[in-house]
Amino acid sequence: MRRLFPLPALPTDPSTPPPAAGDPVRDREWGLDELADAYAYPERPHSASGAYLRANMVSSLDGAAHHDGRSKPLSSETDMRIFGMLRGLADAVVVGAGTVRKEGYRPARAREAFSTRRAALGQPPAPAIAVVSASLELDFSAPLFTEPLVPTVVITGARAAEDRVAAAKAAGAQVVRAGAGPSGRVDVAAVPTALAELGYTRLLTEGGPRLLAQFATAGVLDELCLAVAPLMVAGDAARIANGPLAAEPERFSLASVLEDAGFLFTRYCRIYP
Ligand SMILES: NC(=O)c1ccc[n+]([C@@H]2O[C@H](COP(=O)([O-])OP(=O)(O)OC[C@H]3O[C@@H](n4cnc5c(N)ncnc54)[C@H](OP(=O)(O)O)[C@@H]3O)[C@@H](O)[C@H]2O)c1
């Protein structure tokens, strides 16, 4: 893997030696610590909620967010490494119920590689998974709810069926209501605050596209880590954000680009007005 952006200043002296081993622009294996340093959460989030919401998504060259309903065919070993590393930095992973059902989500695991870093920040050994769902049509007997290291959070709206709420709680989930509207939907703008109130401020959303579209248009998405896979899939799969049109296109600035085996690992941060 090598860094394509930002590049160090070009040497003006032709006798300058080539980049040393460990230089980020050289094509080489990156250690997990080095990757984690490159993706560290900001110390002081911009939002008044105190939370910072980062998204991690993968897209094909032609914009598909999945192939035949799964994102794995678009991924690579390095993409999965970055996916795992981003989890290793997060307090909570926010995910839509559609992705939980399609991808068979399991609890996040504790990884030795991140234990010192997490302990120093006062984080539990693994991030909590926070599932956004209105219907609560979730399998509460699954390991996601019965075997997590940190209780799974279920974020739902005001009109969630009481028997489903009771089933979630009986399985050990923490149920949070975010959204008072009659639609019964979650007000996604309230999600970062709701999670910050549980002590989770380093947030990572893994989508899916319908949830990400709402975060983006609600103006609460601080960062997008977008992996561009060197693949064409055609078909009619959704893009990484599939939902209501933003009133105005929201501008992000490029923070970094890494490249590995033709995959581009981009990181864009929101520009605040
Ligand atoms: N390329 C990638 O990086 C990536 C990442 C993730 C997923 N994917 C792919 O995307 C597909 C699934 O995505 P998706 O867009 O259909 O699903 P999604 O965004 O993960 O989930 C949609 C579901 O989330 C819940 N939800 C979303 N917004 C809500 C709100 N405001 N209030 C209450 N509940 C809300 C609803 O659950 P209920 O129906 O339970 O109410 C809704 O049906 C899969 O094929 C997956 O493989 C790709």
Side-chain angles (χ1 to χ4, degrees):
M1 179 152 65
R2 62 198 166 120
R3 196 172 72 196
L4 301 183
F5 181 85
L7 286 173
L10 287 173
T12 46
D13 177 357
S15 64
T16 305
D23 187 298
V25 301
R26 262 176 90 115
D27 197 4
R28 62 186 171 77
E29 179 91 0
W30 283 40
L32 268 183
D33 268 339
E34 196 176 3
L35 267 179
D37 287 344
Y39 281 86
Y41 278 86
E43 274 176 34
R44 273 179 221 85
H46 178 273
S47 157
S49 70
Y52 184 88
L53 180 62
R54 157 185 287 166
N56 182 35
M57 304 291 287
V58 62
S59 168
S60 69
L61 285 178
D62 49 341
H66 60 85
H67 177 259
D68 205 15
R70 302 293 300 268
S71 54
K72 194 158 181 241
L74 304 182
S75 187
S76 69
E77 202 179 307
T78 300
D79 181 50
M80 288 317 294
R81 203 153 172 258
I82 290 175
F83 175 94
M85 177 276 299
L86 291 175
R87 283 187 164 200
L89 300 183
D91 296 340
V93 175
V94 192
V95 63
T99 297
V100 168
R101 290 187 286 256
K102 274 269 181 196
E103 305 267 357
Y105 259 51
R106 296 184 60 83
R109 55 193 180 93
R111 294 178 61 194
E112 184 56 38
F114 297 99
S115 59
T116 308
R117 190 180 285 267
R118 294 186 70 89
L121 292 170
Q123 293 175 297
I129 305 283
V131 185
V132 178
S133 172
S135 73
L136 299 187
E137 290 301 325
L138 296 159
D139 178 3
F140 293 120
S141 67
L144 177 60
F145 298 98
T146 59
E147 292 173 15
L149 284 171
V150 182
T152 293
V153 180
V154 172
I155 306 174
T156 193
R159 292 177 55 192
E162 285 311 327
D163 60 330
R164 299 305 295 161
V165 171
K169 287 182 177 168
Q174 231 176 335
V175 178
V176 172
R177 310 256 189 177
S183 69
R185 310 286 294 166
V186 169
D187 170 10
V188 297
V191 167
T193 306
L195 289 170
E197 282 168 2
L198 299 181
Y200 301 139
T201 57
R202 298 174 195 88
L203 308 179
L204 170 67
T205 181
E206 294 174 350
R210 282 188 283 163
L211 182 61
L212 181 62
Q214 295 169 72
F215 279 138
T217 51
V220 291
L221 185 69
D222 294 296
E223 180 181 323
L224 174 64
C225 296
L226 173 65
V228 180
L231 301 165
M232 296 274 288
V233 300
D236 59 0
R239 293 178 289 125
I240 62 158
N242 176 22
L245 184 68
E248 292 292 334
E250 190 146 351
R251 197 170 175 90
F252 284 67
S253 78
L254 182 63
S256 64
V257 185
L258 305 177
E259 185 274 341
D260 181 79
F263 280 72
L264 296 179
F265 299 97
T266 69
R267 186 170 166 228
Y268 286 89
C269 296
R270 184 169 171 224
I271 298 173
Y272 301 98

